[in-house]
Each structure stands twice: as structure tokens, then as C-alpha cells.
Coordinates of all heavy atoms in Angstrom, one line a residue:
M784 N -163.6 55.4 -55.6 CA -164.3 54.4 -56.4 C -163.4 53.5 -57.1 O -163.5 52.3 -57.1 CB -165.3 55.1 -57.3 CG -166.1 54.2 -58.1 SD -167.4 53.6 -57.0 CE -168.5 53.0 -58.2
E785 N -162.4 54.2 -57.8 CA -161.4 53.4 -58.6 C -160.6 52.5 -57.6 O -160.2 51.4 -58.0 CB -160.5 54.3 -59.4 CG -161.2 54.8 -60.6 CD -160.2 55.7 -61.4 OE1 -159.0 55.5 -61.3 OE2 -160.7 56.6 -62.1
D786 N -160.3 53.1 -56.5 CA -159.5 52.4 -55.5 C -160.3 51.1 -55.0 O -159.7 50.0 -54.8 CB -159.3 53.3 -54.3 CG -158.3 52.7 -53.3 OD1 -157.4 52.0 -53.8 OD2 -158.4 53.0 -52.1
M787 N -161.6 51.2 -54.9 CA -162.4 50.1 -54.4 C -162.5 49.1 -55.5 O -162.4 47.9 -55.3 CB -163.8 50.6 -54.1 CG -164.6 49.8 -53.3 SD -166.0 50.8 -52.8 CE -166.5 49.9 -51.4
I788 N -162.6 49.5 -56.8 CA -162.7 48.5 -57.9 C -161.3 47.8 -58.0 O -161.3 46.6 -58.2 CB -163.0 49.3 -59.2 CG1 -164.4 49.8 -59.2 CG2 -162.8 48.4 -60.4 CD1 -164.8 50.7 -60.4
A789 N -160.2 48.5 -57.8 CA -158.9 47.9 -57.8 C -158.8 46.9 -56.7 O -158.2 45.8 -56.9 CB -157.8 49.0 -57.7
K790 N -159.3 47.2 -55.5 CA -159.3 46.2 -54.4 C -160.1 45.0 -54.7 O -159.7 43.9 -54.5 CB -159.8 46.9 -53.1 CG -158.7 47.8 -52.5 CD -159.2 48.3 -51.2 CE -158.2 49.3 -50.6 NZ -158.6 49.8 -49.3
I791 N -161.3 45.2 -55.3 CA -162.1 44.1 -55.7 C -161.4 43.2 -56.7 O -161.4 42.0 -56.6 CB -163.5 44.6 -56.2 CG1 -164.3 45.2 -55.1 CG2 -164.3 43.4 -56.9 CD1 -165.6 45.9 -55.5
V792 N -160.8 43.8 -57.7 CA -160.1 43.1 -58.8 C -158.9 42.3 -58.1 O -158.7 41.2 -58.5 CB -159.6 44.0 -59.9 CG1 -158.6 43.3 -60.8 CG2 -160.8 44.6 -60.7
E793 N -158.2 43.0 -57.2 CA -157.1 42.3 -56.6 C -157.6 41.2 -55.7 O -157.0 40.1 -55.7 CB -156.4 43.4 -55.7 CG -155.2 42.8 -55.0 CD -154.5 43.8 -54.0 OE1 -154.6 45.0 -54.3 OE2 -153.9 43.3 -53.1
M794 N -158.7 41.3 -55.0 CA -159.2 40.3 -54.2 C -159.7 39.1 -55.1 O -159.5 37.9 -54.7 CB -160.4 40.8 -53.3 CG -159.9 41.7 -52.2 SD -161.3 42.4 -51.3 CE -162.2 41.1 -50.7
D795 N -160.3 39.4 -56.2 CA -160.7 38.4 -57.1 C -159.5 37.6 -57.7 O -159.6 36.4 -57.7 CB -161.5 39.0 -58.3 CG -162.0 38.0 -59.3 OD1 -162.8 37.1 -58.8 OD2 -161.6 38.0 -60.5
K796 N -158.4 38.3 -58.0 CA -157.2 37.7 -58.5 C -156.7 36.8 -57.4 O -156.3 35.6 -57.6 CB -156.2 38.7 -58.9 CG -154.9 38.0 -59.5 CD -153.9 39.1 -60.0 CE -152.7 38.5 -60.6 NZ -152.1 37.3 -60.1
K797 N -156.6 37.3 -56.1 CA -156.1 36.5 -55.0 C -157.0 35.2 -54.8 O -156.5 34.1 -54.6 CB -156.1 37.3 -53.7 CG -154.9 38.2 -53.7 CD -154.9 39.0 -52.3 CE -153.8 40.0 -52.3 NZ -153.7 40.7 -51.0
A798 N -158.3 35.4 -55.0 CA -159.2 34.3 -54.8 C -159.0 33.2 -55.9 O -159.0 32.0 -55.6 CB -160.7 34.7 -54.8
R799 N -158.8 33.7 -57.1 CA -158.5 32.8 -58.2 C -157.2 32.1 -58.0 O -157.0 30.9 -58.3 CB -158.6 33.5 -59.6 CG -160.0 33.7 -60.1 CD -160.0 34.3 -61.5 NE -159.9 35.8 -61.3 CZ -159.1 36.6 -62.0 NH1 -158.3 36.1 -63.0 NH2 -159.1 37.9 -61.8
D800 N -156.2 32.8 -57.6 CA -154.9 32.2 -57.3 C -155.0 31.2 -56.2 O -154.4 30.1 -56.3 CB -153.8 33.3 -56.9 CG -153.4 34.2 -58.1 OD1 -153.7 33.8 -59.2 OD2 -152.8 35.3 -57.8
M801 N -155.7 31.5 -55.2 CA -155.9 30.5 -54.1 C -156.7 29.3 -54.6 O -156.3 28.1 -54.2 CB -156.7 31.2 -52.9 CG -155.9 32.2 -52.2 SD -156.8 33.1 -50.9 CE -157.3 31.8 -49.8
T802 N -157.7 29.5 -55.4 CA -158.4 28.4 -56.0 C -157.5 27.5 -56.8 O -157.6 26.3 -56.8 CB -159.6 28.9 -56.8 OG1 -160.5 29.7 -56.0 CG2 -160.4 27.7 -57.4
E803 N -156.7 28.2 -57.7 CA -155.8 27.5 -58.5 C -154.8 26.7 -57.7 O -154.5 25.5 -58.0 CB -155.1 28.5 -59.4 CG -154.2 27.8 -60.5 CD -153.5 28.9 -61.4 OE1 -154.2 29.8 -61.9 OE2 -152.3 28.8 -61.6
E804 N -154.3 27.3 -56.6 CA -153.3 26.6 -55.8 C -154.0 25.4 -55.1 O -153.4 24.3 -54.9 CB -152.8 27.6 -54.7 CG -151.7 27.0 -53.8 CD -150.4 26.7 -54.5 OE1 -150.1 27.3 -55.5 OE2 -149.7 25.9 -54.0
A805 N -155.2 25.6 -54.6 CA -156.0 24.5 -54.0 C -156.2 23.3 -55.0 O -156.0 22.2 -54.6 CB -157.3 25.0 -53.4
Q806 N -156.5 23.7 -56.2 CA -156.7 22.6 -57.2 C -155.4 21.9 -57.5 O -155.4 20.7 -57.6 CB -157.2 23.2 -58.5 CG -158.6 23.7 -58.5 CD -159.6 22.5 -58.5 OE1 -159.3 21.4 -58.6 NE2 -160.9 22.9 -58.3
K807 N -154.3 22.6 -57.5 CA -153.0 22.0 -57.7 C -152.6 21.1 -56.6 O -152.2 20.0 -56.8 CB -151.9 23.1 -57.9 CG -150.5 22.6 -58.2 CD -149.5 23.7 -58.3 CE -148.1 23.2 -58.4 NZ -147.6 22.7 -57.2
N808 N -152.9 21.6 -55.3 CA -152.6 20.8 -54.2 C -153.5 19.5 -54.1 O -153.0 18.4 -53.8 CB -152.8 21.6 -52.9 CG -151.8 22.6 -52.7 OD1 -150.7 22.5 -53.2 ND2 -152.1 23.7 -51.9
K809 N -154.7 19.7 -54.6 CA -155.6 18.5 -54.6 C -155.1 17.5 -55.6 O -155.0 16.3 -55.3 CB -157.0 19.0 -55.0 CG -158.0 17.9 -55.1 CD -159.4 18.4 -55.6 CE -160.3 17.2 -55.9 NZ -161.5 17.6 -56.6
L810 N -154.7 17.9 -56.8 CA -154.1 17.0 -57.8 C -152.9 16.3 -57.3 O -152.6 15.1 -57.5 CB -153.9 17.7 -59.1 CG -155.1 18.1 -59.9 CD1 -154.7 18.9 -61.1 CD2 -155.8 16.8 -60.4
D811 N -152.0 17.1 -56.6 CA -150.8 16.6 -56.1 C -151.1 15.5 -55.0 O -150.5 14.4 -55.0 CB -149.9 17.7 -55.4 CG -149.2 18.6 -56.5 OD1 -149.2 18.2 -57.7 OD2 -148.7 19.6 -56.1
Y812 N -152.0 15.8 -54.2 CA -152.4 14.9 -53.1 C -153.0 13.6 -53.7 O -152.7 12.5 -53.3 CB -153.4 15.5 -52.2 CG -153.9 14.6 -51.1 CD1 -153.0 14.3 -50.0 CD2 -155.1 14.0 -51.1 CE1 -153.4 13.4 -49.0 CE2 -155.5 13.2 -50.1 CZ -154.7 12.9 -49.0 OH -155.1 12.0 -48.1
E813 N -153.9 13.8 -54.7 CA -154.5 12.6 -55.4 C -153.4 11.7 -56.0 O -153.4 10.5 -56.0 CB -155.5 13.0 -56.4 CG -156.8 13.5 -55.8 CD -157.7 14.1 -56.9 OE1 -157.3 14.2 -58.1 OE2 -158.9 14.4 -56.5
N814 N -152.4 12.4 -56.7 CA -151.3 11.6 -57.3 C -150.5 10.9 -56.2 O -150.0 9.8 -56.4 CB -150.4 12.6 -58.1 CG -151.1 13.0 -59.4 OD1 -152.0 12.3 -59.9 ND2 -150.7 14.1 -59.9
Q815 N -150.3 11.5 -55.1 CA -149.5 10.9 -54.0 C -150.3 9.7 -53.5 O -149.7 8.6 -53.2 CB -149.3 11.9 -52.8 CG -148.3 13.0 -53.1 CD -148.2 14.0 -52.0 OE1 -148.9 13.9 -51.0 NE2 -147.3 15.0 -52.2
V816 N -151.6 9.8 -53.3 CA -152.5 8.7 -52.9 C -152.4 7.6 -53.9 O -152.2 6.4 -53.5 CB -153.9 9.2 -52.7 CG1 -154.8 8.0 -52.5 CG2 -154.0 10.1 -51.5
I817 N -152.5 7.9 -55.1 CA -152.4 6.8 -56.2 C -151.0 6.1 -56.1 O -150.9 4.9 -56.2 CB -152.6 7.4 -57.6 CG1 -154.1 7.8 -57.7 CG2 -152.2 6.4 -58.7 CD1 -154.4 8.6 -58.9
A818 N -149.9 6.9 -56.0 CA -148.6 6.3 -55.9 C -148.4 5.5 -54.7 O -147.9 4.4 -54.8 CB -147.5 7.5 -56.0
K819 N -148.9 6.0 -53.6 CA -148.8 5.2 -52.3 C -149.6 3.9 -52.4 O -149.2 2.8 -52.0 CB -149.3 6.0 -51.1 CG -149.2 5.4 -49.8 CD -147.7 5.2 -49.4 CE -147.6 4.7 -48.0 NZ -146.2 4.5 -47.7
R820 N -150.8 4.0 -53.0 CA -151.6 2.8 -53.2 C -150.9 1.7 -54.1 O -150.9 0.6 -53.7 CB -153.0 3.1 -53.8 CG -153.9 1.9 -53.9 CD -155.3 2.3 -54.4 NE -155.2 3.3 -55.5 CZ -156.2 4.2 -55.7 NH1 -157.3 4.1 -55.1 NH2 -156.1 5.1 -56.7
E821 N -150.3 2.2 -55.1 CA -149.6 1.3 -56.0 C -148.4 0.7 -55.3 O -148.1 -0.5 -55.4 CB -149.1 2.0 -57.3 CG -150.2 2.3 -58.3 CD -150.7 1.0 -58.8 OE1 -150.0 0.1 -59.2 OE2 -152.0 0.8 -58.8
S822 N -147.7 1.5 -54.5 CA -146.6 1.0 -53.7 C -147.0 0.0 -52.7 O -146.3 -1.1 -52.6 CB -145.9 2.2 -53.0 OG -144.9 1.8 -52.1
I823 N -148.1 0.2 -52.0 CA -148.6 -0.8 -51.1 C -149.0 -2.1 -51.8 O -148.7 -3.2 -51.3 CB -149.8 -0.2 -50.3 CG1 -149.3 0.9 -49.3 CG2 -150.5 -1.3 -49.5 CD1 -150.4 1.7 -48.7
K824 N -149.7 -1.9 -52.9 CA -150.1 -3.1 -53.7 C -148.9 -3.9 -54.2 O -148.9 -5.1 -54.0 CB -151.0 -2.6 -54.9 CG -151.5 -3.8 -55.7 CD -152.4 -3.2 -56.8 CE -151.6 -3.4 -58.1 NZ -152.3 -2.9 -59.3
N825 N -147.9 -3.2 -54.7 CA -146.7 -3.9 -55.2 C -146.0 -4.6 -54.1 O -145.5 -5.7 -54.2 CB -145.8 -2.9 -55.9 CG -146.4 -2.5 -57.3 OD1 -147.2 -3.2 -57.8 ND2 -146.0 -1.3 -57.7
D826 N -145.9 -3.9 -52.9 CA -145.2 -4.5 -51.7 C -146.0 -5.7 -51.3 O -145.4 -6.8 -51.0 CB -145.2 -3.5 -50.6 CG -144.4 -4.0 -49.4 OD1 -143.3 -4.5 -49.6 OD2 -145.0 -3.9 -48.3
F827 N -147.3 -5.7 -51.2 CA -148.1 -6.8 -50.8 C -147.9 -8.0 -51.8 O -147.7 -9.1 -51.4 CB -149.6 -6.4 -50.8 CG -150.5 -7.5 -50.5 CD1 -150.6 -8.0 -49.2 CD2 -151.2 -8.2 -51.5 CE1 -151.5 -9.0 -48.9 CE2 -152.0 -9.3 -51.2 CZ -152.2 -9.7 -49.9
L828 N -147.9 -7.7 -53.1 CA -147.8 -8.7 -54.1 C -146.4 -9.4 -54.0 O -146.2 -10.6 -54.2 CB -148.0 -8.2 -55.5 CG -149.4 -7.8 -55.9 CD1 -149.5 -7.1 -57.2 CD2 -150.3 -9.0 -55.8
E829 N -145.4 -8.5 -53.8 CA -144.0 -9.1 -53.7 C -143.9 -10.0 -52.4 O -143.3 -11.1 -52.5 CB -143.0 -7.9 -53.6 CG -141.6 -8.3 -53.7 CD -141.3 -8.9 -55.0 OE1 -141.8 -8.5 -56.1 OE2 -140.4 -9.9 -55.1
R830 N -144.5 -9.6 -51.3 CA -144.4 -10.4 -50.1 C -145.2 -11.7 -50.3 O -144.8 -12.8 -49.9 CB -145.0 -9.7 -48.9 CG -144.0 -8.7 -48.4 CD -144.4 -8.0 -47.1 NE -145.5 -7.0 -47.4 CZ -146.6 -6.9 -46.8 NH1 -146.9 -7.6 -45.7 NH2 -147.5 -6.0 -47.1
A831 N -146.3 -11.6 -51.0 CA -147.2 -12.8 -51.3 C -146.4 -13.8 -52.2 O -146.4 -15.0 -52.0 CB -148.5 -12.4 -52.0
K832 N -145.7 -13.2 -53.2 CA -144.9 -14.1 -54.1 C -143.8 -14.8 -53.3 O -143.5 -16.0 -53.5 CB -144.2 -13.3 -55.2 CG -145.2 -12.8 -56.3 CD -144.5 -12.0 -57.3 CE -145.5 -11.4 -58.3 NZ -144.9 -10.5 -59.3
K833 N -143.1 -14.1 -52.4 CA -142.1 -14.7 -51.5 C -142.7 -15.8 -50.7 O -142.1 -16.9 -50.5 CB -141.4 -13.6 -50.7 CG -140.5 -12.7 -51.4 CD -139.8 -11.7 -50.5 CE -139.0 -10.8 -51.4 NZ -138.4 -9.7 -50.6
R834 N -143.9 -15.5 -50.1 CA -144.5 -16.6 -49.2 C -144.9 -17.8 -50.1 O -144.7 -18.9 -49.6 CB -145.8 -16.0 -48.6 CG -145.5 -15.2 -47.3 CD -146.7 -14.9 -46.5 NE -147.9 -14.5 -47.2 CZ -148.2 -13.2 -47.4 NH1 -147.5 -12.2 -46.9 NH2 -149.3 -12.9 -48.1
I835 N -145.4 -17.5 -51.3 CA -145.8 -18.6 -52.2 C -144.5 -19.5 -52.5 O -144.6 -20.7 -52.5 CB -146.4 -18.1 -53.4 CG1 -147.8 -17.6 -53.1 CG2 -146.5 -19.2 -54.5 CD1 -148.5 -16.8 -54.2
S836 N -143.4 -18.8 -52.8 CA -142.2 -19.5 -53.1 C -141.7 -20.3 -51.9 O -141.3 -21.5 -52.1 CB -141.1 -18.5 -53.5 OG -139.9 -19.1 -53.8
I837 N -141.8 -19.7 -50.7 CA -141.3 -20.5 -49.5 C -142.3 -21.7 -49.3 O -141.8 -22.8 -49.0 CB -141.3 -19.5 -48.3 CG1 -140.1 -18.6 -48.5 CG2 -141.2 -20.3 -47.0 CD1 -140.2 -17.4 -47.5
N838 N -143.6 -21.4 -49.4 CA -144.5 -22.5 -49.2 C -144.4 -23.6 -50.3 O -144.5 -24.8 -49.9 CB -146.0 -22.0 -49.2 CG -146.3 -21.1 -48.0 OD1 -145.6 -21.2 -47.0 ND2 -147.3 -20.3 -48.1
Q839 N -144.1 -23.2 -51.5 CA -143.9 -24.2 -52.5 C -142.7 -25.0 -52.3 O -142.7 -26.3 -52.4 CB -143.8 -23.4 -53.9 CG -143.7 -24.4 -55.1 CD -143.7 -23.6 -56.4 OE1 -143.5 -22.4 -56.4 NE2 -143.8 -24.3 -57.5
E840 N -141.6 -24.4 -51.8 CA -140.4 -25.2 -51.5 C -140.7 -26.1 -50.4 O -140.2 -27.3 -50.4 CB -139.3 -24.2 -51.1 CG -138.7 -23.4 -52.3 CD -137.7 -22.4 -51.9 OE1 -137.2 -22.5 -50.7 OE2 -137.4 -21.5 -52.7
S841 N -141.4 -25.7 -49.4 CA -141.7 -26.5 -48.2 C -142.6 -27.6 -48.6 O -142.4 -28.8 -48.2 CB -142.4 -25.6 -47.1 OG -142.8 -26.4 -46.0
A842 N -143.6 -27.4 -49.4 CA -144.5 -28.4 -49.9 C -143.7 -29.4 -50.7 O -144.0 -30.7 -50.6 CB -145.7 -27.8 -50.7
Q843 N -142.8 -29.0 -51.6 CA -142.0 -29.9 -52.4 C -141.2 -30.8 -51.5 O -141.0 -32.0 -51.8 CB -141.2 -29.1 -53.4 CG -140.4 -29.9 -54.4 CD -141.4 -30.7 -55.3 OE1 -142.3 -30.2 -55.8 NE2 -141.1 -32.0 -55.4
K844 N -140.5 -30.2 -50.5 CA -139.7 -31.0 -49.6 C -140.6 -32.1 -48.9 O -140.1 -33.2 -48.8 CB -139.0 -30.1 -48.6 CG -137.9 -29.3 -49.1 CD -137.3 -28.4 -48.1 CE -136.2 -27.6 -48.7 NZ -135.6 -26.7 -47.7
K845 N -141.8 -31.7 -48.4 CA -142.6 -32.7 -47.8 C -143.1 -33.8 -48.7 O -143.1 -34.9 -48.4 CB -143.9 -32.0 -47.2 CG -143.6 -31.1 -46.0 CD -144.9 -30.5 -45.5 CE -144.6 -29.6 -44.3 NZ -145.8 -28.9 -43.8
A846 N -143.4 -33.4 -50.0 CA -143.8 -34.3 -51.0 C -142.6 -35.3 -51.3 O -142.8 -36.5 -51.4 CB -144.3 -33.6 -52.3
D847 N -141.4 -34.7 -51.4 CA -140.3 -35.6 -51.7 C -140.0 -36.6 -50.6 O -139.7 -37.7 -50.8 CB -139.0 -34.7 -51.9 CG -139.1 -33.9 -53.2 OD1 -139.9 -34.3 -54.1 OD2 -138.3 -33.0 -53.4
A848 N -140.2 -36.1 -49.3 CA -140.0 -37.0 -48.2 C -141.0 -38.1 -48.1 O -140.7 -39.2 -47.9 CB -140.0 -36.2 -46.9
S849 N -142.3 -37.7 -48.4 CA -143.4 -38.7 -48.5 C -143.1 -39.7 -49.6 O -143.3 -40.9 -49.4 CB -144.7 -38.0 -48.7 OG -145.1 -37.2 -47.6
L850 N -142.7 -39.2 -50.7 CA -142.4 -40.1 -51.8 C -141.3 -41.1 -51.5 O -141.4 -42.3 -51.8 CB -142.0 -39.3 -53.1 CG -141.7 -40.1 -54.3 CD1 -142.9 -41.0 -54.8 CD2 -141.2 -39.2 -55.4
K851 N -140.3 -40.6 -50.8 CA -139.2 -41.4 -50.4 C -139.6 -42.5 -49.4 O -139.3 -43.7 -49.6 CB -138.1 -40.6 -49.7 CG -136.8 -41.4 -49.4 CD -135.7 -40.5 -48.8 CE -134.5 -41.4 -48.4 NZ -133.5 -40.6 -47.8
L852 N -140.5 -42.2 -48.5 CA -141.0 -43.1 -47.5 C -141.9 -44.2 -48.3 O -141.7 -45.4 -48.0 CB -141.9 -42.5 -46.5 CG -141.1 -41.6 -45.4 CD1 -142.1 -40.9 -44.5 CD2 -140.2 -42.5 -44.6
I853 N -142.7 -43.7 -49.2 CA -143.5 -44.7 -50.0 C -142.6 -45.6 -50.8 O -142.9 -46.8 -50.8 CB -144.5 -43.9 -50.9 CG1 -145.5 -43.2 -50.0 CG2 -145.2 -44.8 -51.9 CD1 -146.4 -42.2 -50.7
E854 N -141.6 -45.1 -51.4 CA -140.7 -45.9 -52.2 C -140.0 -46.9 -51.4 O -139.8 -48.1 -51.7 CB -139.7 -45.0 -53.0 CG -140.4 -44.3 -54.2 CD -139.4 -43.3 -54.8 OE1 -138.4 -42.9 -54.2 OE2 -139.7 -42.9 -56.0
E855 N -139.6 -46.5 -50.2 CA -138.9 -47.4 -49.3 C -139.8 -48.5 -48.8 O -139.5 -49.7 -48.7 CB -138.3 -46.7 -48.0 CG -137.1 -45.8 -48.4 CD -136.7 -44.9 -47.2 OE1 -137.4 -44.9 -46.2 OE2 -135.7 -44.2 -47.4
R856 N -141.1 -48.1 -48.5 CA -142.1 -49.1 -48.0 C -142.4 -50.1 -49.2 O -142.4 -51.3 -49.0 CB -143.4 -48.4 -47.6 CG -144.4 -49.4 -47.0 CD -145.8 -48.8 -46.9 NE -146.2 -48.5 -48.3 CZ -147.1 -47.6 -48.6 NH1 -147.6 -46.8 -47.8 NH2 -147.5 -47.5 -49.9
D857 N -142.6 -49.6 -50.4 CA -142.8 -50.4 -51.5 C -141.7 -51.4 -51.8 O -141.9 -52.5 -52.1 CB -143.2 -49.6 -52.8 CG -144.5 -48.9 -52.7 OD1 -145.3 -49.2 -51.7 OD2 -144.8 -48.1 -53.5
S858 N -140.5 -50.8 -51.7 CA -139.3 -51.6 -51.9 C -139.2 -52.8 -50.9 O -138.9 -53.9 -51.3 CB -138.0 -50.8 -51.8 OG -136.9 -51.6 -52.0
A859 N -139.6 -52.5 -49.6 CA -139.6 -53.5 -48.6 C -140.6 -54.6 -48.9 O -140.4 -55.8 -48.7 CB -139.8 -52.9 -47.2
V860 N -141.8 -54.2 -49.3 CA -142.9 -55.1 -49.6 C -142.5 -56.0 -50.8 O -142.7 -57.2 -50.8 CB -144.2 -54.3 -50.0 CG1 -145.3 -55.2 -50.6 CG2 -144.7 -53.7 -48.7
I861 N -141.9 -55.4 -51.9 CA -141.5 -56.1 -53.0 C -140.4 -57.1 -52.6 O -140.4 -58.3 -53.1 CB -141.0 -55.2 -54.1 CG1 -142.2 -54.4 -54.7 CG2 -140.2 -55.9 -55.2 CD1 -141.8 -53.3 -55.7
S862 N -139.5 -56.7 -51.8 CA -138.4 -57.6 -51.3 C -139.0 -58.8 -50.5 O -138.6 -59.9 -50.8 CB -137.5 -56.8 -50.4 OG -136.5 -57.6 -50.0
R863 N -140.0 -58.5 -49.7 CA -140.6 -59.6 -48.9 C -141.4 -60.5 -49.8 O -141.3 -61.8 -49.7 CB -141.6 -59.0 -47.9 CG -140.9 -58.5 -46.6 CD -141.9 -58.3 -45.5 NE -143.1 -57.6 -45.9 CZ -143.3 -56.3 -45.6 NH1 -142.4 -55.6 -44.9 NH2 -144.4 -55.7 -46.0
L864 N -142.1 -60.0 -50.8 CA -142.8 -60.8 -51.8 C -141.9 -61.7 -52.6 O -142.1 -62.9 -52.8 CB -143.7 -60.0 -52.7 CG -144.9 -59.3 -52.1 CD1 -145.6 -58.4 -53.1 CD2 -145.9 -60.4 -51.7
D865 N -140.8 -61.1 -53.0 CA -139.7 -61.9 -53.8 C -139.2 -63.0 -52.9 O -139.0 -64.1 -53.4 CB -138.6 -61.0 -54.2 CG -139.0 -60.1 -55.4 OD1 -139.9 -60.5 -56.1 OD2 -138.2 -59.2 -55.7
S866 N -139.0 -62.7 -51.6 CA -138.4 -63.7 -50.7 C -139.4 -64.8 -50.5 O -139.1 -66.0 -50.5 CB -138.1 -63.0 -49.4 OG -137.6 -64.0 -48.4
V867 N -140.7 -64.5 -50.3 CA -141.7 -65.5 -50.1 C -141.9 -66.3 -51.3 O -142.0 -67.5 -51.3 CB -143.1 -64.8 -49.7 CG1 -144.2 -65.8 -49.7 CG2 -143.0 -64.2 -48.3
Y868 N -141.8 -65.6 -52.5 CA -142.0 -66.4 -53.8 C -140.8 -67.4 -53.9 O -141.0 -68.5 -54.3 CB -142.0 -65.4 -54.9 CG -141.9 -66.0 -56.3 CD1 -143.0 -66.7 -56.8 CD2 -140.7 -66.0 -57.0 CE1 -142.9 -67.3 -58.1 CE2 -140.6 -66.6 -58.2 CZ -141.7 -67.3 -58.8 OH -141.6 -67.9 -60.0
K869 N -139.6 -66.9 -53.7 CA -138.4 -67.8 -53.8 C -138.5 -69.0 -52.9 O -138.1 -70.1 -53.2 CB -137.1 -67.0 -53.6 CG -136.8 -66.1 -54.7 CD -135.5 -65.3 -54.4 CE -135.3 -64.3 -55.5 NZ -134.2 -63.3 -55.2
E870 N -139.0 -68.7 -51.7 CA -139.1 -69.8 -50.7 C -140.2 -70.8 -51.1 O -140.1 -72.0 -50.8 CB -139.4 -69.3 -49.3 CG -138.3 -68.6 -48.6 CD -138.7 -67.9 -47.3 OE1 -139.7 -68.3 -46.7 OE2 -137.9 -67.0 -46.8
N871 N -141.3 -70.4 -51.7 CA -142.5 -71.2 -51.9 C -142.8 -71.5 -53.3 O -143.7 -72.2 -53.6 CB -143.7 -70.5 -51.2 CG -143.6 -70.4 -49.8 OD1 -143.3 -71.3 -49.0 ND2 -143.7 -69.1 -49.3
C872 N -142.0 -71.0 -54.2 CA -142.3 -71.2 -55.7 C -142.5 -72.7 -56.0 O -143.5 -73.1 -56.6 CB -141.1 -70.6 -56.5 SG -141.3 -70.9 -58.3
D873 N -141.5 -73.5 -55.7 CA -141.6 -75.0 -56.0 C -142.8 -75.6 -55.4 O -143.5 -76.4 -56.0 CB -140.3 -75.7 -55.6 CG -139.1 -75.2 -56.4 OD1 -139.3 -74.8 -57.6 OD2 -138.0 -75.3 -55.9
K874 N -143.1 -75.3 -54.1 CA -144.2 -75.8 -53.4 C -145.5 -75.4 -54.1 O -146.4 -76.2 -54.2 CB -144.2 -75.3 -51.9 CG -145.3 -75.9 -51.1 CD -145.1 -75.5 -49.6 CE -145.9 -74.3 -49.4 NZ -146.0 -73.9 -48.0
W875 N -145.6 -74.1 -54.5 CA -146.8 -73.7 -55.1 C -147.0 -74.3 -56.5 O -148.2 -74.7 -56.8 CB -146.8 -72.1 -55.3 CG -146.9 -71.4 -54.0 CD1 -147.4 -71.8 -52.8 CD2 -146.5 -70.0 -53.8 NE1 -147.3 -70.8 -51.8 CE2 -146.8 -69.7 -52.4 CE3 -146.0 -69.0 -54.6 CZ2 -146.5 -68.4 -51.9 CZ3 -145.7 -67.8 -54.1 CH2 -146.0 -67.5 -52.7
V876 N -146.0 -74.5 -57.2 CA -146.1 -75.1 -58.5 C -146.5 -76.6 -58.3 O -147.4 -77.0 -59.0 CB -144.7 -75.1 -59.3 CG1 -144.7 -76.0 -60.5 CG2 -144.4 -73.6 -59.7
D877 N -145.9 -77.3 -57.4 CA -146.3 -78.7 -57.1 C -147.8 -78.7 -56.7 O -148.5 -79.6 -57.1 CB -145.4 -79.3 -56.0 CG -144.0 -79.5 -56.5 OD1 -143.8 -79.5 -57.7 OD2 -143.1 -79.6 -55.6
E878 N -148.2 -77.8 -55.9 CA -149.6 -77.8 -55.4 C -150.6 -77.5 -56.6 O -151.6 -78.2 -56.7 CB -149.8 -76.7 -54.3 CG -151.2 -76.6 -53.7 CD -151.5 -77.8 -52.9 OE1 -150.7 -78.5 -52.3 OE2 -152.8 -78.0 -52.8
I879 N -150.2 -76.6 -57.4 CA -151.1 -76.3 -58.6 C -151.1 -77.5 -59.5 O -152.2 -77.9 -59.9 CB -150.6 -75.0 -59.3 CG1 -150.7 -73.8 -58.5 CG2 -151.3 -74.9 -60.7 CD1 -150.1 -72.5 -59.0
V880 N -150.0 -78.1 -59.8 CA -150.0 -79.2 -60.7 C -150.8 -80.4 -60.1 O -151.6 -81.1 -60.7 CB -148.5 -79.7 -61.0 CG1 -148.5 -81.0 -61.7 CG2 -147.8 -78.6 -61.8
S881 N -150.6 -80.6 -58.8 CA -151.3 -81.6 -58.1 C -152.9 -81.4 -58.1 O -153.6 -82.4 -58.4 CB -150.9 -81.7 -56.6 OG -151.7 -82.5 -55.8
R882 N -153.3 -80.2 -57.9 CA -154.8 -79.9 -57.9 C -155.3 -80.1 -59.3 O -156.4 -80.5 -59.5 CB -155.0 -78.5 -57.4 CG -154.8 -78.4 -55.9 CD -155.3 -77.1 -55.4 NE -155.0 -77.0 -54.0 CZ -155.4 -76.0 -53.2 NH1 -156.1 -75.0 -53.8 NH2 -155.2 -76.0 -52.0
V883 N -154.5 -79.7 -60.3 CA -155.0 -79.8 -61.7 C -155.1 -81.2 -62.2 O -156.1 -81.6 -62.8 CB -154.1 -78.9 -62.7 CG1 -154.5 -79.2 -64.1 CG2 -154.3 -77.4 -62.4
T884 N -154.1 -82.0 -61.8 CA -154.1 -83.4 -62.3 C -155.0 -84.2 -61.5 O -155.5 -85.3 -62.0 CB -152.6 -83.9 -62.2 OG1 -152.1 -83.8 -60.9 CG2 -151.7 -83.3 -63.2
E885 N -155.3 -83.9 -60.3 CA -156.3 -84.7 -59.4 C -157.7 -84.3 -59.7 O -158.6 -85.1 -59.5 CB -156.0 -84.5 -57.9 CG -154.7 -85.1 -57.5 CD -154.4 -84.8 -56.0 OE1 -155.3 -84.2 -55.3 OE2 -153.3 -85.1 -55.6
G886 N -157.9 -83.2 -60.2 CA -159.3 -82.7 -60.3 C -160.0 -83.2 -61.4 O -161.0 -83.8 -61.6

């Protein structure tokens, strides 16, 4: 009888040890999952930041190129307007004076 009680106590201790080990393994696994999730999230965020930086540089280059083209076009238009003004300034002044004095 005592032998049987000792075996029951030993089996109970083994069962508690196994339960404790399973709980420890479960916590370890949960911690690993949390760490892996954080690692994946951080990796994703880092790659996203790099892509944003690259896209930002590319967009800035395109904007600078567009601005340069616009400035060149505007400069050409201003130059043409200045040229037309210089060629026709006296004629326009005479025409305005003529219309005002005749009217």
C-alpha cells in the first residue's frame, strides 16, 4: 500500500514537473514569437524608410529637372518679350500718342 502511495506521489510530482516544463516552454515560445514579430516589424519599417528616402531623392531630382526646364522656358519667353519690346517700343509709344491726341 505504501509502495502504491509512493508511486502515486511520484507520478503526481512528475505530472507537475511536466506541467511546469510545458508552461515554461509555452512562455519561451510566446517570447520568441513576440521577438520575431518585433524583428519583422522593425525590418519592414527600416526597408520602408529606405524606400521613402530613395523615392524622395528621385522625386526631388525630377522636381529640380522640371523647375530647371520651366526656368529655361520662362527665361526664353522673357528674352523674346524684351527683344520685341526693344524693337517696337518707339513704334508703340508713337501709336499710343497718336491715338490719344487724335481721339
